[in-house]
Each structure stands twice: as C-alpha cells, then as structure tokens.
Amino acid sequence: MEVKVYEGYNLEELIEKAKKELGEDIKILHYETIEEKRFFFLKGRKKYKLFVEPVEDDEPIEPVIKFEELLDKIEDIIDKKIQTTLPKYAQNMATPENLPPHIAPNTVEDKASKVLSELTGDALELANLLIEKDVQPEVAKKVVMAACGLDIDTNKWDLNTVTYKEALIKGIKENIKFTGAIDKIIEKPGIFAFIGPTGVGKTTNLFKIASQLVINKNKKVAVISTDTFKVGAAQQARTYANILNIPFYSISESKKLKNIIEDLKEMDFILIDTVGRSHYDYWRLGEIKEILTGIQQEIKNILTISCNFKNEDAFEVVYKYQTFFPIHSLFFTKIDETKKPGLLLNLPVETRIPVSYLSTGQRVPEDLKVLSPEVIASYILGE
C-alpha cells in the first residue's frame, strides 16, 4: 500500500486534505513536527509532515468475512486460555453468570454480615467503615483481623490498637507490598514501561515521575513513547520532555526500541510511555508486548489503574494485562475523582501485586505521592 505524505502548517487542515483526496477511511501512520530555520533571533514557523495510508474499498467481500470468522475463533481460544491461567484471586471471583441457577447472589449487606460475623466492637465498626468506602467485605476482614485480639466475653475478635488508623496501618503492612519510589532501583539504567487502559493518565504521571527524578534527584532520564496512534500524543510527550530538557524518542518497532535503549545505557532511568489499549483488545495488547520484547535489560511494567474504576472492571484490567505482561507494581490515578477509594485495598490485597505511586491531581510534578501504609490509611479514612 502506498504511503502519502502531506506537508503544511496546520495539522488539522492536512488531515482534512488527505480525507478529501483519499476518502474518509484513511489510516494516519505518523506525523512529524519541523521547526523552520530563520535568521538570527527570529523564530521559525512550525511545519507538519503527515504520513497517511489510504484504505482501499474495492477488496473482495469473501476473504474479509472468512478472516473475521477466523478472528472470532482465535479470540475464543484466547479467552479459554486466559480462563485456565487466571491468577487465584480471579478464579475465586463468583459472578451471577457462573452461579448455579437455583442460587441467587447475596446482597452486599447479607454478604458483609456473614463475612464479618467473627468480629465485634471496634473491629466490626472499622470493617463496616471500610465497606462504606467500597472495600470488599473479605478484604476488609483480612485487613482488620491483622490488628485484632480475641475478646473473651464474646469469643469474637476486636481491635487491640488505640485508634482506627493504627489498626488500618497495621493491617495494610500485613497484607500489601510496597515498592517505594523508583529511584530506589539499583541497576542502571532502570527501565520502566507504563501500561494500562486508555484515559488513566499514563503520560501525565510518567512525566510527574520524570520531573521528580530530574529536578529533585538530579538523575539522567530519557523518555520513549510508543504511542504513534493517537494524534497529538507524541507531541504532548515531546513538549514535557523539552521543558525538562531530557532526551525523547517516538518509536513503533521493537528493533528500533532495542537500538535506542542501547544508545541510552548511560542514563539512570528510561521511562517508556505505551499507547492506551482496552484490556479486551488482545491484538493490540499483543502489539505492545511485541514492541517491548527483545530488550536484554529487564523492563519493569507499571500498570496504571484509575481509582474511579468499579471493582469488577479494575480486576478485569489487572488479570487481562497480567496475561500479557509481568506486572512490577500498581500505580493508582485519579484519587481526586472518587469518594470511595476501596481499590487502594482491594487490588493489592487480592492480587498480591506491589503498589508504587498515587496520583492526586493534574499538576506536574506536585500531585504525586509514593504509596505507603500511612498514605493509603489516610485516603481510606478520608483524612
């Protein structure tokens, strides 16, 4: 297929021109920004080069139908494979669809009452408070039990700490692993890939970390973007990189990524920004995995999860991504957009995946916290 190149000073006009000439169904492969040179102190105009591939509409119908049928069959095979290799926490997640027909799912209140039947006093109060924050009953019990002792009068478990926060911190330390800030990594360079669904804030939060490493830690940092699909994504990342005066690369091939990383071996950290993909889009997830393979150094994958996700959606994201990538840590975003941050406990307790960071807003680099038992306890209790 022939690739058409359009040059001009307005990216939107170039896209419209391509559509008029080639039809609405075009595939935007990539675009570049060129600063025209001027004399002395005069600033040059910004010029764009747009690479477009036309989509032919005269392809025979029969092969397309057969391909889609094959695609459906392959996706069914992948689904079955995922179900047989799910992590333990995912296998134990009962849904109305997989319950026997004569058993109706319990209400949240009934389920919580049964799960918490062994607790009493302040322990029961704290567990119910956690459930109000959208913490799952089993997780609430597990966390609270770590700070309990047996009450002789009732033969049930009650808190052995003075405050709820002390109990919660104790339970979090017992049940959640923490990586700390990524500058604790010893090997050089430390390579981290930020992966996750569309719209969770991967790019913004990657540059929050990059800013802290460069400004506060005086580290040598480079950023590589593999997001060549979304118009403006690479340009946004390049703008951040220019502000920090750090190397930035935009790539779409595994071989090119490998060569760039070899050239950046003197860096302290290499942060890779990946394209956002639905956790149900197996093909696109496979593309991301293919780009990241072939690198000799270990890539630590940080999975970004929005705190405003529903529990079931968040668990789906984790175990679908986990079938493609080894997850180094969970990075929680958009805590400022929810009043019920139960995911801060539910995901790490049930999946046993360590946690690293929490995004508290849009400001770069201020709105970022390294997760700790105290930080999670404060947000769960609404402090």
Side-chain angles (χ1 to χ4, degrees):
M1 186 71 69
E2 181 184 1
V3 176
K4 301 278 289 185
V5 181
Y6 295 86
E7 296 187 28
Y9 299 98
N10 187 301
L11 184 58
E12 292 182 1
E13 290 180 358
L14 292 179
I15 295 174
E16 289 301 318
K17 182 178 179 181
K19 287 182 177 181
K20 288 181 180 179
E21 292 184 6
L22 305 177
E24 289 292 326
D25 295 328
I26 61 172
K27 182 178 179 182
I28 299 176
L29 301 176
H30 183 56
Y31 79 93
E32 297 177 356
T33 305
I34 305 170
E35 290 286 350
E36 290 189 334
K37 294 182 179 180
R38 294 289 182 89
F39 293 104
F40 299 108
F41 58 85
L42 294 177
K43 188 176 181 180
R45 294 179 66 184
K46 184 181 293 185
K47 190 175 183 179
Y48 296 96
K49 182 180 290 187
L50 180 70
F51 298 83
V52 176
E53 183 179 79
V55 178
E56 296 183 357
D57 55 4
D58 56 352
E59 297 178 1
I61 297 177
E62 183 67 14
V64 175
I65 295 177
K66 288 184 178 180
F67 178 75
E68 290 178 348
E69 290 174 354
L70 177 62
L71 196 63
D72 290 338
K73 290 180 180 179
I74 294 176
E75 288 188 347
D76 287 340
I77 294 172
I78 295 174
D79 275 329
K80 290 177 181 178
K81 179 65 176 176
I82 288 176
Q83 291 302 320
T84 60
T85 58
L86 290 181
K88 186 176 180 180
Y89 68 85
Q91 295 174 353
N92 294 332
M93 290 175 61
T95 61
E97 290 77 11
N98 58 33
L99 287 174
H102 63 281
I103 300 179
N106 295 323
T107 64
V108 175
E109 294 78 8
D110 290 341
K111 184 177 181 180
S113 179
K114 291 179 180 179
V115 171
L116 306 181
S117 60
E118 299 177 40
L119 303 181
T120 188
D122 289 341
L124 184 58
E125 290 287 336
L126 176 57
N128 283 321
L129 176 60
L130 297 181
I131 292 172
E132 290 177 6
K133 297 291 186 176
D134 209 21
V135 177
Q136 294 177 334
E138 296 87 350
V139 174
K141 179 183 178 181
K142 191 178 294 186
V143 170
V144 171
M145 284 289 289
C148 282
L150 187 63
D151 179 70
I152 299 176
D153 293 334
T154 61
N155 199 32
K156 293 186 176 184
W157 299 93
D158 201 355
L159 294 184
N160 55 18
T161 59
V162 177
T163 65
Y164 284 172
K165 188 170 184 178
E166 288 179 60
L168 190 51
I169 290 174
K170 188 174 182 180
I172 291 171
K173 288 180 178 178
E174 183 81 17
N175 290 281
I176 298 178
K177 300 176 183 178
F178 297 83
T179 65
I182 69 173
D183 60 280
K184 304 298 182 183
I185 300 299
I186 298 175
E187 63 265 28
K188 180 181 178 180
I191 307 175
F192 293 83
F194 290 72
I195 60 177
T198 305
V200 294
K202 291 187 295 298
T203 303
T204 301
N205 287 291
L206 178 152
F207 277 100
K208 288 179 186 178
I209 294 177
S211 299
Q212 292 189 354
L213 290 173
V214 172
I215 298 171
N216 301 335
K217 305 292 183 178
N218 198 28
K219 299 292 185 180
K220 292 186 290 184
V221 179
V223 173
I224 302 173
S225 174
T226 67
D227 189 354
T228 58
F229 297 90
K230 186 171 63 177
V231 175
Q235 188 61 33
Q236 178 194 15
R238 192 182 300 275
T239 300
Y240 280 128
N242 289 340
I243 293 172
L244 292 173
N245 194 28
I246 60 176
F248 175 82
Y249 302 86
S250 179
I251 64 98
S252 59
E253 298 177 1
S254 176
K255 184 177 180 180
K256 189 173 182 181
L257 176 62
K258 181 180 179 181
N259 293 337
I260 290 174
I261 287 181
E262 288 177 355
D263 293 339
L264 296 173
K265 60 185 178 181
E266 296 303 318
M267 289 287 159
D268 296 313
F269 294 93
I270 299 173
L271 307 183
I272 304 174
D273 186 23
T274 65
V275 61
R277 289 301 184 199
S278 166
H279 48 292
Y280 294 111
D281 192 341
Y282 306 134
W283 297 105
R284 298 303 184 188
L285 291 179
E287 287 179 357
I288 298 173
K289 182 177 181 179
E290 192 277 330
I291 292 174
L292 297 179
T293 55
I295 300 172
Q296 292 182 350
Q297 299 96 318
E298 178 190 2
I299 294 181
K300 295 177 174 61
N301 299 301
I302 299 178
L303 179 59
T304 49
I305 297 286
S306 174
C307 286
N308 59 18
F309 279 179
K310 294 180 180 179
N311 280 306
E312 56 268 30
D313 293 332
F315 276 103
E316 282 280 326
V317 169
V318 171
Y319 73 69
K320 288 290 174 61
Y321 265 84
Q322 207 171 25
T323 59
F324 287 86
F325 309 94
I327 307 300
H328 170 265
S329 67
L330 299 176
F331 188 136
F332 290 97
T333 65
K334 303 187 179 183
I335 189 68
D336 53 315
E337 296 183 15
T338 180
K339 292 182 179 180
K340 295 184 176 183
L343 281 182
L344 292 178
L345 291 180
N346 294 332
L347 280 184
V349 170
E350 290 292 278
T351 67
R352 304 303 297 167
I353 299 174
V355 297
S356 51
Y357 288 93
L358 176 69
S359 171
T360 61
Q362 296 297 315
R363 295 181 301 169
V364 179
E366 296 90 344
D367 294 336
L368 183 70
K369 292 181 181 292
V370 178
L371 278 171
S372 67
E374 292 75 16
V375 169
I376 291 180
S378 295
Y379 275 96
I380 291 292
L381 296 175
E383 296 181 356

